[in-house]
Amino acid sequence: MKYLILLTFLVIVLIEATTPVFASTVKMSASGLCHPPQSSWYDRTQNYKPFNGLQACLKAGGRLPKGVALGSLEEGAEAASSQYQRSAFGHGWDDADGDCRDSRAEALINTSTTRVRFASAKGCRVVTGRWISPFTGEVLQNASNVDIDHVVPLAWAWERGAKNWSKEKREHFANDPKNLLPVEASLNRSISGIEKIS
């Protein structure tokens, strides 16, 4: 049974890892050029001012790189908007009830087999507990060695209808405790080859 769960996890992670991810931020470089995700200079632009869209960057005084037409970028952006974007599910873990414990902390608290210990008396960030890896049976006690993964990957859900959900429904889904599973960070990252939000 344990191997069936591991195999299912591997298949889901591979689906998630091979689904293309498109950034939504437009980068204004120090020279004032607006680089949307479709720009060939997008990944190379490291020092930039972020904007939520191309129009916002242009309104702030930015300009398009030479030889780039606004129409072609808008067509490309429209096509990219139908692709999976992690940001469509919110930006990281949510603290819906406002108790300073985001959904990662809540998942760590709810799944620990012992009482958790926090980084401070405020009780926001979990530092230790006792979690058992569902894939290897390893006992994990340091929260930094635990990733919170989605049982149903967000990219998989996107392709199967989540792209038509409201933003609120997607954010709830990404933070739903029933869809969160503590896993070994080292195993999770070596399988997927990408960093997860922890």
Side-chain angles (χ1 to χ4, degrees), residues 64-65 67-74:
L64 292 173
V68 176
L70 184 58
S72 66
L73 288 175
E74 288 172 340

Side-chain angles (χ1 to χ4, degrees), residues 26-179:
V26 172
K27 300 176 177 180
M28 182 195 281
S29 66
S31 61
L33 294 176
C34 295
H35 295 286
Q38 300 85 357
S39 167
S40 60
W41 285 89
Y42 189 82
D43 291 331
R44 291 180 264 185
T45 305
Q46 299 300 316
N47 298 318
Y48 62 90
K49 183 175 179 183
F51 288 91
N52 286 331
L54 186 57
Q55 293 299 332
C57 184
L58 295 173
K59 283 183 184 176
R63 61 191 193 286
L64 292 173
K66 285 184 181 178
V68 176
L70 184 58
S72 66
L73 288 175
E74 288 172 340
E75 288 167 14
E78 193 174 306
S81 70
S82 67
Q83 300 294 323
Y84 166 71
Q85 298 178 35
R86 173 58 178 90
S87 61
F89 290 85
H91 297 282
W93 302 116
D94 187 30
D95 179 16
D97 57 9
D99 66 352
C100 88
R101 296 177 184 166
D102 60 22
S103 52
R104 171 185 164 72
E106 299 280 0
L108 290 170
I109 293 164
N110 294 336
T111 57
S112 178
T113 60
T114 63
R115 175 176 242 142
V116 299
R117 196 169 56 94
F118 297 97
S120 69
K122 194 173 177 187
C124 298
R125 188 171 62 87
V126 176
V127 291
T128 62
R130 186 175 186 271
W131 302 274
I132 301 171
S133 169
F135 306 114
T136 64
E138 288 290 318
V139 175
L140 308 166
Q141 295 181 321
N142 187 334
S144 65
N145 295 333
V146 179
D147 272 356
I148 301 299
D149 205 4
H150 293 95
V151 176
V152 176
L154 304 183
W156 189 89
W158 177 267
E159 291 302 320
R160 283 149 187 85
K163 62 181 141 197
N164 300 318
W165 296 352
S166 68
K167 185 174 182 189
E168 292 76 24
K169 184 173 180 178
R170 286 193 298 264
E171 287 181 10
H172 175 75
F173 178 76
N175 291 278
D176 187 338
K178 292 181 282 234
N179 193 34

Side-chain angles (χ1 to χ4, degrees), residues 14-29:
L14 287 173
I15 290 169
E16 186 176 30
T18 58
T19 304
V21 178
F22 293 89
S24 58
T25 301
V26 172
K27 300 176 177 180
M28 182 195 281
S29 66

